[in-house]
């Protein structure tokens, strides 16, 4: 028998992450509520760049994903890892570096995103210096985790730890893969891949951010905290092993389901669909494993708010993992894509699965960290019901809105014309649903405020156990013991081998998708008439990125009659070869812009950007007065041209030297046309608006037949 | 257009088939291995979250923050 060793668990780091989870949860949800209100009251954009919808939307998604859920993950991991391994965290310095580094990254995101500093890759918007900081902090977390694994006192690794290991390795691979970019300045970069390739990489990342940041670590937390709260072991440990391997193997393939009916090659779309449909098996295996853990304890679910939150969380996981495969079926996706159905779907996951599991964990954890009882179970139950109502009021109206709008987009009159030819009609129709969504979001936020109050009172009534005493036998060497035993039992004792196996499992899918993607670079049909952007168009494009226009406008006409009738010729992959980054978007709150070039006169765009409602009464688009007020900065253009040439855009050698003059010439031409239409403004050719007009007027025109001169 | 890409991207059908075969092989193998595991070991593993400490420390052994 090995000697029993005494040691202490580090609870301080757990408490810090728990506090951060509570604070950032409030911030992220508040920003979500603000942007939901902006969609029904566009005047709430206030005409101020930093608080306009396009810039705040990525702040909301980043705050909820990386600040609220991210800190939630670390809270649970730092608590459960120490206890499952019967060891204190490897390094206090690394724990603190991780905590403060992560909070600094969140603060830098909260500053840079409203300033419009964004790479425009959804959920990876932060620019390159912050990307590097994320990598450093993530590596510190990894060293700390593996250091703890090495000095553990428990031979075997519980399944929750496998999920943590898979999360760490996959997020590392995804973060590096999706942020391969060439810096142009301190806060501007261009991605290495363009167009279709960039789209595939982005959604390989985007989907797996959902998989390996919002799901696998939370499954680890489920497998630890649910048995804890229910005080009974997981229903089937065997099922959890199959759940783990099947899930991490399949998840990584599913990214292309975000790009169905786009210009992505068909084989990649099919691969995404097949694996997405297969995902339901391990996902539901995991969900049932969670729910069945409560067998014989359902009477306690009625009493215990912690279990209530966890049951709804696991049920929401089941709902969204049923819906995900369904939305990946092409015929369903044809209806759902670009609509609010997707927004409803992700919020079942975010509010139900991540939110409620976090709340359940915090209600269980905080009293134990502070050696006391929860201040008020009644308030926790109130939170539960308000939160549940919030989820329903949020999601159901958006499902309704998604279906309604999609069917309106696709409806034709008996004469063969679009019944709702004006896109705006399909938006005003669903505004009542948007209002109900605000009610749902408000309820959810109120519930969260109640929780924070309840937990603060709990903290005040207790006494914090910073170092919790524990004892366990020292780890006995097991060299040679594995002879004749099953391979998996052998693996369960070896974190490094587990890391390697998990890496192989996730790389198979990634490589098979990405390898042909690099291959098809030479196979995307080149279109002779597609040329690189002019310097002024490039400046305008970067403004389009800065303002987050892709949050509401797609640039991808799908090959449906309802879309080609509304927008024009469907999109070809060859049209995007100079698009760094790609700007296909994922939601149409406004119409697609791929063929907007040449559709309206320059003056239409000028007036529309200044006051959208003056051109389209009832529009919910924010105004952009600063584009008319602010001077256009062209100084950086030569650097941008050089960077893009390095990446493969065929700008001639030395073009950067005349780029500014070229841009000024084009700006003067646009200003002259605006003047002709009666828009008088001193120094108009030097304003930002001319660059935006240049870009919008270019969109989709490369393959449009030029109007023939008539005699 | 897709036909054109497929024709020019080389023979890539094997990738999808290989992926499917790999998945099912791993899935069936892990299921077979898991189902053969001995019950005592599985029970021990599943109890792990419920046995955080070798023995429960007393209240005074915990270091409280002032």
């Amino acid at each position: 028998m090995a000697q029993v060793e005494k040691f202490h668990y580090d609870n301080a780091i757990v408490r810090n992450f728990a506090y951060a989870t509570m604070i950032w949860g409030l911030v992220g949800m508040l920003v979500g509520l603000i942007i939901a209100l902006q969609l029904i009251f566009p005047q709430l954009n206030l005409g101020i760049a930093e608080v306009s919808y396009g810039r705040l939307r990525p702040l909301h998604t980043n705050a909820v994903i990386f600040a609220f859920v991210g800190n939630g993950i670390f809270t649970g991991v730092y608590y459960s890892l120490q206890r499952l391994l019967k060891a204190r965290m490897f390094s206090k310095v690394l724990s603190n570096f991780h905590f403060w580094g992560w909070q600094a990254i969140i603060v830098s995101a909260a500053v840079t995103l409203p300033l419009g500093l964004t790479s425009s890759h959804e959920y990876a918007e932060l620019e390159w210096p912050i990307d590097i900081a994320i990598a450093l902090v993530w590596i510190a977390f990894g060293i700390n985790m593996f250091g703890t694994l090495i000095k553990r006192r428990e031979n075997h690794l519980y399944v929750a730890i496998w999920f943590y290991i898979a999360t760490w390795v996959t997020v590392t691979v995804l973060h590096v893969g999706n942020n391969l970019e060439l810096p142009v300045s301190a806060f501007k970069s261009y991605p290495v891949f363009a167009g279709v390739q960039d789209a595939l990489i982005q959604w390989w990342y985007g989907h797996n951010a959902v998989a390996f940041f919002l799901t696998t670590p939370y499954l680890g937390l489920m497998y630890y905290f649910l048995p804890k709260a229910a005080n009974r072991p997981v229903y089937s440990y065997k099922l959890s092993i199959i759940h783990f391997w099947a899930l991490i193997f399949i998840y990584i393939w599913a990214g292309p389901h975000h790009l169905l009916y786009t210009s992505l090659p068909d084989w990649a779309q099919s691969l995404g669909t097949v694996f997405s449909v297969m995902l339901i098996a391990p996902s539901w295996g995991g969900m049932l494993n969670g729910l069945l853990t409560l067998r014989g304890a359902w009477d306690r679910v009625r009493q215990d708010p912690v279990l209530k939150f966890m049951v709804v969380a696991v049920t929401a996981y089941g709902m969204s993992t049923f819906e995900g495969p369904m939305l990946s079926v092409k015929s369903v996706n044809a209806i759902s894509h670009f609509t609010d159905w997707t927004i409803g779907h992700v919020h079942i996951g975010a509010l139900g699965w991540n939110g409620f599991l976090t709340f359940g964990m915090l209600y269980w954890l905080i009293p134990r960290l502070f050696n006391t009882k929860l201040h008020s179970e009644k308030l926790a139950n109130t939170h539960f019901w308000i939160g549940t109502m919030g989820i329903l009021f949020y999601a159901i109206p958006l499902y309704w809105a998604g279906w309604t709008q999609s069917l309106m987009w696709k409806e034709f009159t008996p004469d063969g014309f679009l019944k709702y030819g004006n896109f705006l009609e399909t938006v005003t129709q669903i505004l009542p649903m948007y209002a109900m969504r605000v009610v749902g979001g408000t309820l959810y936020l109120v519930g969260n405020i109640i929780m924070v109050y309840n937990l603060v009172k709990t903290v005040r009534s207790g006494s914090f156990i910073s170092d919790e005493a524990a004892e366990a036998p020292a780890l006995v060497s097991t060299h040679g013991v594995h002879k004749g035993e099953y391979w998996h039992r052998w693996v369960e004792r070896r974190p490094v081998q587990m890391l390697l196996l998990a890496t192989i499992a996730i790389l198979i899918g990634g490589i098979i998708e990405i390898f042909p993607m690099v291959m098809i670079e030479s196979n995307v049909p080149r279109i002779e008439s597609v040329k690189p952007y002019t310097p002024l168009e490039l400046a305008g494009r970067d403004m389009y990125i800065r303002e987050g226009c892709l949050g509401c406008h797609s640039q991808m006409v799908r090959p449906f009659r309802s879309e080609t009738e509304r927008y024009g010729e469907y999109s070809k992959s060859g049209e995007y070869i100079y698009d760094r980054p790609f700007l296909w978007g994922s939601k149409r709150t406004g119409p697609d812009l791929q063929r907007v070039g040449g559709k309206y006169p320059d003056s239409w765009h000028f007036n529309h950007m200044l006051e959208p409602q003056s051109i389209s009464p009832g529009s919910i688009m924010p105004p952009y007065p600063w584009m008319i007020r602010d001077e256009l900065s062209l100084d950086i253009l030569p650097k941008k041209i050089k960077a893009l040439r390095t990446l493969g855009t065929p700008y001639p050698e030395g073009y950067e030297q005349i780029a500014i003059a070229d841009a000024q010439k084009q700006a003067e031409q646009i200003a002259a046309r605006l003047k002709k239409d009666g828009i008088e403004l001193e120094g108009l050719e030097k304003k930002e608006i001319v660059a935006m007009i240049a870009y919008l007027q270019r969109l989709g025109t490369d393959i449009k037949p030029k109007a023939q001169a008539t005699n | 257009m897709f036909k054109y890409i497929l024709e020019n991207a080389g023979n890539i059908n094997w990738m999808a088939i290989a992926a499917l075969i790999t998945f099912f092989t791993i899935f069936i193998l892990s299921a077979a291995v898991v189902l053969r595991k001995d019950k005592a070991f599985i029970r021990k593993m599943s109890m792990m979250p419920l046995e955080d400490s070798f023995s429960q420390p007393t209240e005074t052994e915990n270091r409280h923050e002032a």
Side-chain angles (χ1 to χ4, degrees), chain A residues 1 4 6 8-9 15 83-84 86 154 156-158 223-224 227-228 231-234 237-238 241-242 246 249-250 253 262-267 269 271 274-275 278 371 463-473 486-489 492 508 512 515-516 519-520 523 525 573, chain B:
Chain A
M1 178 78 185
V4 173
K6 292 192 176 207
H8 290 87
Y9 295 128
R15 175 200 56 185
R83 282 149 181 91
L84 288 169
K86 297 193 172 61
E154 175 58 57
H156 292 276
L157 306 181
Y158 181 67
Y223 277 120
Y224 181 78
K228 278 291 222 198
N231 200 26
R232 56 192 59 225
V234 65
Y237 193 76
K238 290 179 178 178
I241 296 175
I242 299 176
F249 185 85
I250 300 178
W253 299 75
T262 66
S263 304
L264 187 77
D266 207 27
W267 63 265
Q269 296 187 30
L271 214 56
V274 169
F275 278 90
M278 280 159 65
N371 196 30
S463 144
F464 180 56
I465 307 166
S466 63
D467 295 282
E468 190 179 325
E471 53 184 38
Y486 302 123
W487 66 273
H488 207 276
R489 200 158 153 186
E492 279 161 28
I508 290 175
I512 291 183
F515 173 66
M519 242 171 72
I520 60 168
N523 286 302
S573 53
Chain B
M1 186 186 73
F2 295 139
K3 199 179 162 197
Y4 173 85
I5 292 169
L6 276 175
E7 280 169 0
N8 288 277
N11 183 17
I12 50 169
N13 284 342
W14 67 269
M15 288 185 173
I17 295 162
L20 210 62
I21 292 171
T22 316
F23 168 72
F24 278 110
T25 312
I26 291 177
F27 188 81
I28 290 162
L29 276 180
S30 62
V33 168
V34 164
L35 292 174
R36 286 172 60 209
K37 282 191 170 227
D38 72 79
K39 281 184 182 167
F41 175 69
I42 289 289
R43 201 175 310 118
K44 175 186 173 308
M45 289 305 294
S46 65
M47 291 303 286
M48 234 182 226
L50 306 176
E51 294 162 355
D52 275 345
S53 296
F54 179 65
S55 65
Q56 284 297 315
T58 60
E59 202 57 30
T60 47
E61 276 180 306
N62 291 322
R63 289 186 213 154
H64 292 263
E65 215 171 55

Side-chain angles (χ1 to χ4, degrees), chain A residues 16 30 82 108 115 140 143 281 307 341 408 434 510 657:
Chain A
N16 293 350
L30 182 64
Q82 298 186 76
S108 60
L115 289 175
I143 295 171
L307 286 178
W341 188 351
M408 288 175 84
Y434 282 5
Q657 285 151 18

